[in-house]
Amino acid sequence: MNALGIVVAQLARRPLQTVLAIVLLALGVATLTFVVLVQGQLSKQLARDARGIDLVVGAKGSPLQLILSALYHVDVPTGNVPLASLDQLRRNRLVAQVIPVSLGDNFRGFRIVGTEPALIEHYGARVAAGALWNAPMQAVIGSEVARVTQLAVGASISGTHGLAQGGAVHEESRYEVVGVLAPTGTVLDRLVLADKASVWRVHEGDPADDAERRILEEEREVTALLVRYASPMAAAIVPRQVNAESRLMAASPANELARLFAVMGVGIDTMRIFGGVLVASSLLALFVTLYNALEERRYDIAIMRLLGASRARVAFLLLLESWLLALVALVAGLALGLAAVAIVGNWLAQSRAFVVSPGTFAPELLWIGIVAVAAATVAAALPAWRASRMDIAATLARG
């Protein structure tokens, strides 16, 4: 019988101990795999979507809520700000660019965002089909919106009031899809973009006379303003200027992301520690399994030595046994971890939030495999050494 056959036969003699060692290591690997993939992908998306935006201006409230709603479109806005604030900021010499964002409706859970073409240019997006809007009530959809809804250029859609599905549908105000964006890997992929005047038209209706129209125009608002500084000095001055306004609040994406990562980091670190504890427990279980196996097979090992097996071969058999357990646990743990990532990714996709995919490779996964093999090697080291140093004569004499 070859070495692998011998090892498999020995493992089959101790099914409960074998399964326990595999389960503990597999759970540790699954936990670490889940944390590495989810944390890595979410961190990259958060950083990518905020890149180039120095400040978000909105209604007073929670700065983190403002960032999540205006930049990532996963929370409700803190309110609206006067349209005059847009012109005021654009006149500020410390400000290089201001991009307005108006929210209020959705289409099948994807948010309809009233904005300007500058938002598309900011993320470096390009049109895969059709063109950008050139008039109100024309819409450009992100790649994820097009994939899920199967919409194409020329389609007609109606928004649903509110930021979640289930609200009243604006049947009388329909958008024409004039463009589809190529995938960008950014928040644009899951948005329906239109001119900011489209959002006003949907909610203002058709004014009865010119006086009413002028009143509506004077009272127009936007949800938030995305600001890019003209110089480093702006970081110390512009936020203070904004916060001095009674209705306005300035939130720094960098600061709020740091706070968010600090909060998330507690849970992530806890899961990492839990995974490490499981790996350590599996190391102990492997050691106990192999040590007990050595005691049970002392006579068999002595016979093997007597028949010509070298010390190295005996030690190798125990190491191979541990490595085989680690390999099975590694495969099972990776499969379990990827399945958990797929479940979370599907949930996020249904909520029109971030994109998490089990198919995304992370270099850290290689380290998980290395740690698993190293743990198996450490667990088998002492039993393998004792087996190779066994006194053949004394063992055969005891029987």
Side-chain angles (χ1 to χ4, degrees):
M1 185 179 292
N2 59 28
L4 183 60
I6 294 174
V7 168
V8 171
Q10 293 298 335
L11 291 175
R13 291 173 57 183
R14 308 182 309 279
L16 290 180
Q17 291 179 322
T18 299
V19 170
L20 175 62
I22 291 175
V23 167
L24 286 174
L25 185 54
L27 288 176
V29 169
T31 302
L32 294 175
T33 298
F34 178 83
V35 171
V36 164
L37 289 179
V38 173
Q39 180 196 16
Q41 293 182 55
L42 287 181
S43 298
K44 288 179 181 178
Q45 289 181 54
L46 288 169
R48 185 170 54 237
D49 289 345
R51 188 178 299 129
I53 303 297
D54 297 312
L55 196 71
V56 178
V57 177
K60 289 193 181 298
S62 165
L64 180 58
Q65 182 182 347
L66 176 60
I67 296 295
L68 292 176
S69 62
L71 265 185
Y72 303 113
H73 299 275
V74 294
D75 203 346
V76 295
T78 55
N80 292 325
V81 299
L83 181 61
S85 302
L86 173 61
D87 296 327
Q88 182 180 353
L89 274 172
R90 281 177 170 167
R91 290 194 299 268
N92 193 323
R93 289 179 296 178
L94 295 173
V95 173
Q97 186 181 40
V98 184
I99 304 173
V101 171
S102 294
L103 306 175
D105 295 333
N106 77 90
F107 175 72
R108 299 185 188 176
F110 294 104
R111 297 191 178 189
I112 298 175
V113 180
T115 185
E116 296 175 353
L119 183 65
I120 297 175
E121 296 170 4
H122 173 79
Y123 287 105
R126 63 177 183 85
V127 178
L132 295 181
W133 65 83
N134 54 29
M137 304 313 296
Q138 294 179 346
V140 174
I141 61 176
S143 59
E144 183 67 10
V145 180
R147 185 189 68 82
V148 173
T149 63
Q150 297 297 302
L151 290 175
V153 174
S156 179
I157 63 174
S158 294
T160 298
H161 187 67
L163 300 179
Q165 301 182 66
V169 179
H170 298 291
E171 290 288 359
E172 71 287 351
S173 301
R174 301 187 67 81
Y175 292 87
E176 177 191 1
V177 177
V178 296
V180 178
L181 296 178
T184 63
T186 69
V187 68
L188 292 188
D189 293 344
R190 58 180 190 272
L191 297 180
V192 177
L193 303 167
D195 190 85
K196 60 182 182 296
S198 302
V199 177
W200 298 330
R201 180 176 295 187
V202 169
H203 295 91
E204 290 174 359
D206 187 17
D209 51 46
D210 292 341
E212 184 178 347
R213 182 178 293 105
R214 283 195 299 272
I215 292 174
L216 289 173
E217 290 175 353
E218 291 173 358
E219 295 178 349
R220 281 176 176 169
E221 299 175 319
V222 293
T223 304
L225 303 170
L226 311 182
V227 178
R228 183 167 58 86
Y229 294 148
S231 70
M233 186 185 302
I237 298 175
V238 175
R240 290 208 307 267
Q241 292 175 340
V242 171
N243 289 325
E245 299 284 339
S246 60
R247 294 183 56 181
L248 302 183
M249 175 182 65
S252 167
N255 293 340
E256 297 308 317
L257 278 181
R259 286 179 51 201
L260 182 61
F261 286 145
V263 174
M264 291 173 53
V266 176
I268 291 171
D269 290 343
T270 300
M271 291 190 69
R272 286 184 185 274
I273 293 172
F274 178 67
V277 169
L278 288 174
V279 171
S281 300
S282 70
L283 188 152
L284 180 61
L286 278 172
F287 173 77
V288 172
T289 298
L290 295 173
Y291 197 88
N292 289 339
L294 172 63
E295 295 302 316
E296 294 172 3
R297 290 152 44 195
R298 294 180 67 88
Y299 188 80
D300 295 340
I301 292 173
I303 293 294
M304 290 176 60
R305 290 292 314 283
L306 188 65
L307 293 176
S310 65
R311 292 172 183 257
R313 178 172 175 78
V314 171
F316 173 74
L317 287 176
L318 280 175
L319 285 170
L320 181 61
E321 187 172 337
S322 184
W323 290 336
L324 184 60
L325 285 171
L327 178 61
V328 173
L330 186 60
V331 172
L334 284 173
L336 186 60
L338 293 176
V341 173
I343 292 172
V344 171
N346 183 61
W347 174 74
L348 289 174
Q350 290 180 353
S351 62
R352 311 303 190 223
F354 300 101
V355 178
V356 172
S357 170
T360 301
F361 174 75
E364 292 85 353
L365 293 180
L366 295 177
W367 284 105
I368 294 176
I370 292 172
V371 168
V373 174
T377 304
V378 170
L382 179 59
W385 181 82
R386 285 176 58 85
S388 67
R389 298 295 174 181
M390 184 182 298
D391 187 330
I392 300 175
T395 301
L396 290 175
R398 286 197 302 268

